[in-house]
Amino acid sequence: MSRLITAIFLYLVAIAAVAQEKADILISYECVSPNKMMKPVTSKMSLLASTTKAKWFNDLSLWVDSLKSTPEGKAQYMEILKKSCMTVEPDGSTTWDLSKGPSKKVYTYVFTNLADNGVTLYGKFGEDQGFYKEPIDEMNWTIVEDSTTTILGYECIMAKSDYHGRQWKAWFTPEIPIPFGPWKLRGLPGIILKADANGGFSFVATGLERTDRIITPMYLQEDYSKVDRLKALDNAEYYMNNEENIMNAQGQSVKIYMLDDNGNKVEVPKYDGLKHSLEPDYKMKK
């Protein structure tokens, strides 16, 4: 019996090792998108990829979610937040300023898997966290052979694609034959090191290294519900443009505003998917 249990254990370990595929490459990207005032906002993202799988994530968000995925890690994270964000006032009350600590600000993860021909995006849509899937071959490219550039020392070729309401130009390198890229961009015969779309959206690789890091699955998957992509994006826009009313209807007393260049309180501009979303097709299909 003990030999049978040992054999079963070793078999399960072998399955787990196969399931946790190692990446071949790790790429850092600088991402630019317009905010509600149509000013460019920069963020940092990373891509872990092998020849068959890819994972798009924010490093701080991944660290936070990995900690919160276990009771011990969650307790450790709360202690870190308490030390960095909590202040005890003279009257004994406490105040929190989450901007002082390692709080999660980016909710987007994208997993691409050639084996199941699927792209899965996890994100936050308004108040709710959700995920949706789409087929890999939903994105089609036209390669422009005579348009090339050099990025991080690699010769790259340009390709074009209309995808979910934006016109994309991407530069990929056949020197690294991995068919993935930033965000959900995929399907070219080489890793995508740069991409930009109409409206002021762009991804540019700033660092690239070989790695054998494990492409770990999504942490806290139970916190995400399956959503329809178009409906989720539409709901997210509604929430952003009605957040104050929604929060007050829930019993909170809030006033949301922003400060202009002179420090005066002004109304927050409306979010418009045609201007501010990577995927504005949910506005076009109404």
Side-chain angles (χ1 to χ4, degrees), residues 52-229:
T52 59
K53 289 183 179 181
K55 176 179 179 178
W56 173 253
F57 60 95
N58 173 268
D59 288 282
L60 175 58
S61 298
L62 182 66
W63 177 77
V64 170
D65 287 341
S66 65
L67 272 182
K68 294 173 69 176
S69 65
T70 66
E72 298 81 8
K74 189 173 183 179
Q76 181 184 350
Y77 178 64
M78 291 308 298
E79 281 300 314
I80 293 172
L81 283 185
K82 187 182 295 184
K83 291 179 181 178
S84 56
C85 304
M86 190 181 79
T87 301
V88 179
E89 304 295 344
D91 62 0
S93 63
T94 58
T95 59
W96 289 76
D97 182 355
L98 293 179
S99 66
K100 295 180 179 179
S103 57
K104 179 178 174 180
K105 299 178 180 66
V106 178
Y107 288 82
T108 300
Y109 291 86
V110 179
F111 291 81
T112 309
N113 189 342
L114 293 184
D116 60 13
N117 188 38
V119 178
T120 305
L121 183 143
Y122 294 84
K124 191 172 184 180
F125 305 96
E127 294 181 284
D128 304 318
Q129 296 187 135
F131 73 93
Y132 63 79
K133 296 185 178 182
E134 62 187 62
I136 287 178
D137 54 12
E138 188 173 303
M139 190 166 205
N140 299 306
W141 296 93
T142 299
I143 296 176
V144 185
E145 296 280 1
D146 59 353
S147 183
T148 62
T149 189
T150 300
I151 302 170
L152 297 179
Y154 293 91
E155 183 176 348
C156 297
I157 304 169
M158 189 178 80
K160 296 180 179 181
S161 179
D162 290 339
Y163 178 67
H164 293 176
R166 298 220 175 269
Q167 293 76 52
W168 285 94
K169 294 179 182 178
W171 286 262
F172 69 96
T173 176
E175 296 179 52
I176 305 176
I178 292 177
F180 307 118
W183 184 50
K184 296 192 295 179
L185 306 182
R186 75 274 183 182
L188 285 167
I191 200 81
I192 298 172
L193 296 181
K194 179 182 177 182
D196 57 55
N198 58 306
F201 298 87
S202 67
F203 303 104
V204 180
T206 57
L208 184 156
E209 61 182 88
R210 299 289 178 175
T211 184
D212 60 357
R213 185 169 157 182
I214 296 295
I215 303 176
T216 53
M218 184 67 190
Y219 292 109
L220 305 170
Q221 290 189 43
E222 65 276 9
D223 293 345
Y224 295 80
S225 301
K226 188 174 183 179
V227 298
D228 175 85
R229 182 182 67 85

